[in-house]
Structure formats: C-alpha cells, structure tokens
Amino acid sequence: MMAAQAIPEATAQRFVTTLTALLESVRGAIAGSDSAQAGVWRRKVLPLLEGHLAAAKKAAAHFAIGDEQPLVDTALPLRFLARDLDGYSLDFAGADAARQYEERRRLVVYAAWQVGQAAGAV
C-alpha cells in the first residue's frame, strides 16, 4: 500500500504549468526584438527561468514516483521570484506583454507557495 502524498497532484502540476506559461510569455515577448532590454532578458532572465523550469520538471518526475522533497526544494525559492526579477520589466515588449508577464509571475509565486504550504514547509 502506497503512502499518501502531502502535496496534491493538482498542486504539483499547477506549479510546473504556471512556470512553463511564464517562460513561454518571456520567450514570446523577446522573440525577434533587437532592443537592449530584450538582450538583457535573453542573457540574464531567460537562462534563470529555463533553469528553474528544468529543475521543476525533474522534481515533478520525482514527485510522480513518490518523492516530493525535490518538488518542495525547487518550489520554495520561487516564492521570491518577484524579488529576484525586480528591475526587469517587459515594458519594451508592450503593455499587454508586460501585464501578462506580471500576472504569470504572480501565479508562479502563488503556486510555489501552495507547494510549500501543502508540504508544511511554509
């Protein structure tokens, strides 16, 4: 008999899904832009988010086999993603892209908090 996981599967999936959506927004906003700000995003922000997503996907694979600690370890630092990305604005890509980025970033932070909350880590 398998032990029940403290983190609901939907919570784990939401975390990876929101992080994926954020990365897609960023990629879409900087695609084809030659602005200096887009260059900064390509060099600094995009690799950071891609690293977080790769870690989240690996953690999700561990979660699927019953090991939730990697998911918790990956999610907890992302509660502070807004602080970590403070000063990086997508305004260069237009108001709609900037709003979408802000909303998706908030969703990632909330999903990360939910993972920690479900695991009893926050």
Side-chain angles (χ1 to χ4, degrees):
M1 193 166 168
M2 292 182 61
Q5 293 177 320
I7 302 171
E9 185 176 340
T11 301
Q13 288 176 348
R14 184 178 314 109
F15 172 64
V16 176
T17 300
T18 59
L19 189 52
T20 300
L22 175 63
L23 187 56
E24 288 172 358
S25 291
V26 170
R27 284 180 178 148
I30 65 175
S33 178
D34 293 331
S35 74
Q37 285 289 3
V40 170
W41 277 77
R42 276 189 203 98
R43 288 187 311 278
K44 294 187 177 190
V45 179
L46 197 55
L48 175 72
L49 293 176
E50 287 171 339
H52 284 309
L53 182 58
K57 286 181 176 180
K58 184 176 179 182
H62 282 271
F63 179 82
I65 60 171
D67 182 11
E68 64 183 33
Q69 192 59 48
L71 186 68
V72 174
D73 293 342
T74 301
L76 288 180
L78 288 177
R79 294 174 301 147
F80 308 108
L81 185 62
R83 180 193 65 199
D84 296 343
L85 296 178
D86 192 32
Y88 295 103
S89 172
L90 270 183
D91 288 341
F92 72 90
D96 289 340
R99 271 192 300 276
Q100 183 181 57
Y101 163 74
E102 292 295 330
E103 176 64 22
R104 288 186 174 181
R105 187 179 69 182
R106 275 191 286 273
L107 290 173
V108 168
V109 170
Y110 183 61
W113 179 85
Q114 286 179 316
V115 168
Q117 177 72 19
V122 294

